[in-house]
Amino acid sequence: MSSAGSGSIDTAVLERHGLKPDEYDRIKAALGREPNLTELGLFSVMWSEHCSYKSSRIHLKTLPTKGPRVLQGPGENAGAVDIGDGLAAVFKIESHNHPSYIEPYQGAATGVGGILRDIFTMGARPVAVLNSLRFGDLDEEKTRRLLAGVVAGIGGYGNAFGCPTLGGEVVFEPCYAKNPLVNAFCLGIAKKDEIFLGRAEGVGNPVFYVGAKTGRDGIHGATMASAEFGEGSEEKRPTVQVGDPFMEKILLEACLEAMKTGAIIGIQDMGAAGLTCSTSEMGSRAGNGIEINIQKVPKRETGMTAYEVMLSESQERMLLVAEKGREKEVIDVFEKWDLHAEAIGKVTKGKRLKVYDGKTLEADVPNEALTDQAPVYDRPWVESVNPAAAEDLSALIKPSDLGEVLLKLLAAPNVSNKRWIYRQYDSTVRTNTMIGPGSDAGVIRIKGTKKALAMATDCNGRFCWLDPAEGARLAVAEACRNVAAAGAVPIGATNCLNFGNPEKPEIMGQLVAAIRGMAEACVALDVPITGGNVSLYNETDGQAIYPTPVIGVVGLIEDATRAQSSWFKQAGDEVYLLGTTGDDVGGSEYLKAVHRRVAGRPPKLDLKAEKRLIDLMGEAAAAGLLCSAHDASDGGIAVALAECCFVKEEAGLGARLDLPASALRPDRQLFSETPSRMVVSTRDGADLETLAHHHGVPCARLGTVGGDQLTVSSGGDTLFDLPVVKLLEAWTSLERRLSQR
């Protein structure tokens, strides 16, 4: 076997590969010898946190992953759920955080490209994209640069590829200044009996490389994404891939057409860890081996070594296994699309990955040693206890002008309208979008059926910092509530767990608690996790981000005509509050924006009450009882009511409303962020009240829609009375603020 330029593998070499000395001992034991440098590189990327989940795997096993609709759970490129009519919704969320800090445009663009490939490698056509973004303080020049680059990258790739961006979320907090989060969600549609898996079945079957040529970009990208940032991190641009959305669009069409021939046995995206990951995982899942010859791998640079070819993360590439004897069918399809399908190897018996350079054996490694036998750590952790959560909030100064407070909240970066961002995305391409950015959830019709799908991503990092378990429960609940507001029944979820350094017991404790809370909520709300992503080491110079377990939820609307948006529709409609308001200002936007504090206990979620509300919403929407629906979350009931007065970015109808009598201080009644609440409008108030009573959901009539003012009272006292246009001016201020920079 070639030494592959091995030389001495000392501590410095191991550090460059992100491996610990004890892990190197495990590598030697797995091989029964010293690895050469190429083999060390294979282990480096496959045993990275990004690929192996070595710190989180034992805890992720506690998540609920099965259900009557689940067709494919975690372990494949994406999850899939049955949506009826012989169809499946295939979806997943992934992170591209570290690359987006180093090179914002390409980091975000290739994040979108990667999640699109995860979907169409399953045989599904991507039909919708969401994104969940976190940045630092908006007044910082670097934040504005990162924001502009990331948004341009998402739009540049998604728009050119031709997949609509239906929404998502954008949050600004100082802790994300040097660790922005770029989480991309994609959903596709496939026939449920034609889902493709990443398995190298059939000894002797040829292994094909298709798509773009391999270059030196992205080498050790997975390793880079599995380490803290420090001085010099921004110089790691060579580890960030470069994307080509037009190539990806052609690759999509060619792959889907090749799948229809019946000649494709298995297929996988070359994402993180590139050719190493796709070969070893496909072989391991099928219990087979794969051997390849790197001389046959299409390259765009000369003199590339086996090490470089195997670790490159060049974009727009796929690995597929075809049925022996049907090679020409596969080649002809890709030739039709001006792409080459290059046979670079074959499936073998030995359960080993063998990499040749011509006749020289460069690497010979057991597949399972790279995949299933990667280290799994039960890292030390301590229960997360944040002193800030115990701070007393009873002595907060009562604001003298509640209307001014509402305007300040509407103008806060985390609440205000994000049109400056989402107007750069194409949200209507392919003409299936029913509800795009600006409402609680994005909704897309499913052609050829009467159905639609709603989707949303959510997480409040402040809640999770104060109490990770409760914060994670609240994230699941809000995502489910948002798709319920669109008229959908939640049927499945995916997660992207963004945390700091898991080698610190307090950070590991945050992760353990968040997974525990997420599992509890998913079980209670009957939304299985079908897959996702873990992104750790989001930490720079020892400062970690808030624990941010982003949840993406997909909901099914049986009758697409029942899909609903958040804004009031017609004068005279009755407005109701479903649920009750408690004293929940801990971790709230009100506390941060007005009192400049992040403290207190986050709201305590009653999962049974949440489930009753979601069930009520599904039944009420299906019965045609609702004209609009909007959940009360950031900024409380006051912000929710104001947002109901905005038709996308225009002034809509106002309302005259009287909140239920309450012992709460007026500011807490207005701005409390108690969960399990929904503001709805209806023309069938009596029927809605009857249905709410049947489900055990508190239902209070607030008043009626109409006029151009939003007037809100309680107990006979007017809390605020403001023109809708003035509310809108505050809510759309972010666009003016960003446009002036």
Side-chain angles (χ1 to χ4, degrees):
M1 181 189 297
S2 165
S3 65
S6 57
S8 173
I9 296 178
D10 56 19
T11 302
V13 174
L14 292 180
E15 286 180 355
R16 286 199 302 271
H17 285 78
L19 292 165
K20 303 278 196 308
D22 63 310
E23 292 176 332
Y24 183 57
D25 291 338
R26 294 182 61 160
I27 292 170
K28 290 189 290 185
L31 295 177
R33 56 176 170 79
E34 297 271 348
N36 63 34
L37 191 58
T38 298
E39 292 168 335
L40 188 74
L42 305 187
F43 279 100
S44 169
V45 291
M46 291 304 295
W47 284 16
S48 68
E49 195 72 60
H50 191 76
C51 291
S52 72
Y53 296 172
K54 57 190 175 186
S55 297
S56 57
R57 193 183 297 188
I58 62 171
H59 302 288
L60 293 173
K61 290 180 179 178
T62 64
L63 292 172
T65 59
K66 299 184 183 301
R69 289 187 180 271
V70 176
L71 300 171
Q72 179 61 57
E76 275 290 341
N77 292 286
V81 294
D82 190 340
I83 58 173
D85 293 311
L87 299 175
V90 179
F91 59 94
K92 190 183 182 185
I93 190 169
E94 280 270 8
S95 65
H96 231 221
N97 302 335
H98 284 55
S100 297
Y101 178 65
I102 294 170
E103 214 305 300
Y105 184 95
Q106 290 296 348
T110 52
V112 174
I115 198 66
L116 287 165
R117 289 194 303 280
D118 280 341
I119 300 307
F120 72 75
T121 193
M122 301 285 290
R125 179 175 292 278
V127 295
V129 171
L130 303 176
N131 49 72
S132 178
L133 311 177
R134 303 289 189 284
F135 299 97
D137 191 322
L138 193 56
D139 289 327
E140 297 290 332
E141 182 179 347
K142 187 165 188 176
T143 294
R144 297 193 297 273
R145 179 181 65 81
L146 288 170
L147 172 64
V150 165
V151 170
I154 291 170
Y157 204 102
N159 297 352
F161 180 86
C163 190
T165 298
L166 297 192
E169 53 174 354
V170 186
V171 173
F172 300 93
E173 299 283 358
C175 68
Y176 302 109
K178 294 184 178 180
N179 282 96
L181 302 185
V182 178
N183 294 177
F185 168 101
C186 183
L187 179 143
I189 303 297
K191 293 183 178 179
K192 75 173 189 178
D193 56 355
E194 295 180 8
I195 292 175
F196 283 77
L197 304 179
R199 299 173 63 89
E201 302 279 8
V203 172
N205 279 334
V207 174
F208 279 93
Y209 172 117
V210 299
K213 293 181 179 180
T214 295
R216 290 188 171 94
D217 55 322
I219 292 174
H220 270 298
T223 309
M224 176 270 292
S226 305
E228 284 187 49
F229 278 158
E231 187 175 347
S233 293
E234 293 177 53
E235 304 307 315
K236 295 182 179 179
R237 284 182 174 81
T239 62
V240 178
Q241 313 94 318
V242 177
D244 181 347
F246 301 103
M247 168 69 82
E248 179 129 326
K249 174 62 173 175
I250 294 170
L251 184 61
L252 159 75
E253 299 298 344
C255 286
L256 293 182
E257 186 171 331
M259 291 170 179
K260 290 180 181 178
T261 67
I264 305 299
I265 304 298
I267 183 169
Q268 179 151 325
D269 160 42
M270 289 190 222
L275 195 50
T276 299
C277 184
S278 54
T279 50
S280 61
E281 287 189 346
M282 289 184 75
S284 180
R285 290 189 192 111
N288 288 321
I290 286 182
E291 64 177 48
I292 62 171
N293 186 343
I294 66 157
Q295 288 190 1
K296 296 182 179 180
V297 172
K299 308 174 194 68
R300 65 170 183 265
E301 299 184 45
T302 59
M304 291 188 70
T305 64
Y307 181 100
E308 292 173 323
V309 170
M310 294 302 294
L311 271 62
S312 168
E313 294 184 8
S314 294
Q315 295 290 284
E316 293 83 45
R317 304 179 301 158
M318 307 285 275
L319 193 74
L320 59 87
V321 174
E323 185 179 339
K324 189 175 182 180
R326 303 184 68 180
E327 293 90 342
K328 188 175 185 303
E329 293 178 63
V330 175
I331 292 169
D332 286 348
V333 169
F334 284 92
E335 288 286 348
K336 170 189 168 183
W337 290 95
D338 290 328
L339 295 172
H340 293 294
E342 189 70 43
I344 64 169
K346 63 182 179 181
V347 180
T348 60
K349 276 186 180 179
K351 296 186 179 181
R352 300 182 76 86
L353 171 60
K354 294 185 178 183
V355 180
Y356 290 88
D357 187 350
K359 294 184 178 180
T360 303
L361 182 61
E362 296 284 352
D364 183 1
V365 180
N367 277 323
E368 291 182 347
L370 293 171
T371 57
D372 297 341
Q373 293 172 12
V376 176
Y377 295 129
D378 187 358
R379 294 197 185 277
W381 60 275
V382 295
E383 196 69 47
S384 183
V385 178
N386 189 336
E391 291 184 21
D392 183 10
L393 303 180
S394 62
L396 291 177
I397 297 173
K398 179 182 176 181
S400 58
D401 189 332
L402 296 172
E404 285 301 313
V405 172
L406 174 57
L407 293 173
K408 186 169 186 176
L409 280 172
L410 288 171
N414 290 343
V415 174
S416 57
N417 176 262
K418 307 301 190 298
R419 184 176 71 168
W420 182 89
I421 294 169
Y422 64 68
R423 71 176 180 178
Q424 299 181 52
Y425 308 148
D426 190 334
S427 62
T428 59
V429 63
R430 301 189 65 81
T431 70
N432 293 319
T433 301
M434 297 185 68
I435 299 174
S439 195
D440 290 68
V443 178
I444 198 158
R445 71 169 59 84
I446 307 304
K447 281 184 178 174
T449 77
K450 295 181 178 180
K451 299 176 178 177
L453 290 172
M455 57 211 79
T457 59
D458 281 291
C459 182
N460 187 317
R462 291 194 303 272
F463 289 166
C464 294
W465 180 68
L466 293 165
D467 184 335
E470 196 64 58
R473 280 191 285 266
L474 288 162
V476 174
E478 185 174 358
C480 289
R481 198 182 317 127
N482 277 328
V483 300
V489 175
I491 58 173
T494 179
N495 56 30
C496 197
L497 308 182
N498 306 274
F499 289 78
N501 184 345
E503 297 172 49
K504 297 178 179 179
E506 63 275 18
I507 299 295
M508 194 64 213
Q510 292 175 345
L511 177 62
V512 172
I515 292 173
R516 181 175 69 243
M518 187 184 307
E520 292 170 0
C522 287
V523 169
L525 302 181
D526 196 21
V527 280
I529 298 285
T530 63
N533 174 239
V534 179
S535 175
L536 304 180
Y537 296 95
N538 290 287
E539 199 160 316
T540 298
D541 298 329
Q543 297 298 310
I545 62 167
Y546 286 156
T548 313
V550 175
I551 308 296
V553 169
V554 174
L556 178 63
I557 304 173
E558 291 287 351
D559 181 354
T561 64
R562 300 303 193 193
Q564 57 205 18
S565 53
S566 58
W567 46 85
F568 294 144
K569 301 299 188 299
Q570 181 175 298
D573 288 350
E574 298 176 282
V575 180
Y576 280 83
L577 171 63
L578 305 177
T580 55
T581 300
D583 190 359
D584 293 304
V585 295
S588 67
E589 191 67 31
Y590 166 63
L591 192 66
K592 180 194 173 193
V594 176
H595 297 281
R596 300 185 181 280
R597 294 176 66 183
V598 179
R601 297 283 175 192
K604 182 70 175 176
L605 176 66
D606 182 337
L607 284 165
K608 291 182 179 179
E610 188 72 49
K611 184 69 165 70
R612 290 194 295 269
L613 175 65
I614 290 170
D615 288 347
L616 165 63
M617 291 299 297
E619 192 170 338
L625 297 181
L626 304 178
C627 301
S628 70
H630 186 30
D631 89 310
S633 54
D634 293 345
I637 190 69
V639 166
L641 291 171
E643 289 175 338
C644 290
C645 300
F646 310 143
V647 182
K648 297 184 180 179
E649 297 85 35
E650 303 295 333
L653 292 165
R656 180 171 290 277
L657 308 171
D658 190 22
L659 298 180
S662 173
L664 295 175
R665 240 171 57 174
D667 58 328
R668 293 176 182 250
Q669 185 180 17
L670 287 175
F671 308 121
S672 167
E673 295 184 6
T674 304
S676 311
R677 295 181 299 162
M678 196 82 71
V679 174
V680 301
S681 63
T682 181
R683 291 162 204 158
D684 301 284
D687 289 343
L688 178 63
E689 290 181 26
T690 299
L691 191 59
H693 178 75
H694 172 74
H695 283 275
V697 174
C699 176
R701 186 182 183 280
L702 303 183
T704 57
V705 174
D708 55 9
Q709 296 272 128
L710 177 61
T711 305
V712 175
S713 305
S714 181
D717 296 325
T718 299
L719 302 182
F720 63 84
D721 182 11
L722 291 167
V724 171
V725 291
K726 189 169 184 178
L727 296 169
L728 180 69
E729 183 179 9
W731 190 60
T732 55
S733 61
L734 181 64
E735 180 166 22
R736 295 189 296 276
R737 185 175 175 185
L738 290 171
S739 298
Q740 292 168 0
R741 300 291 183 179

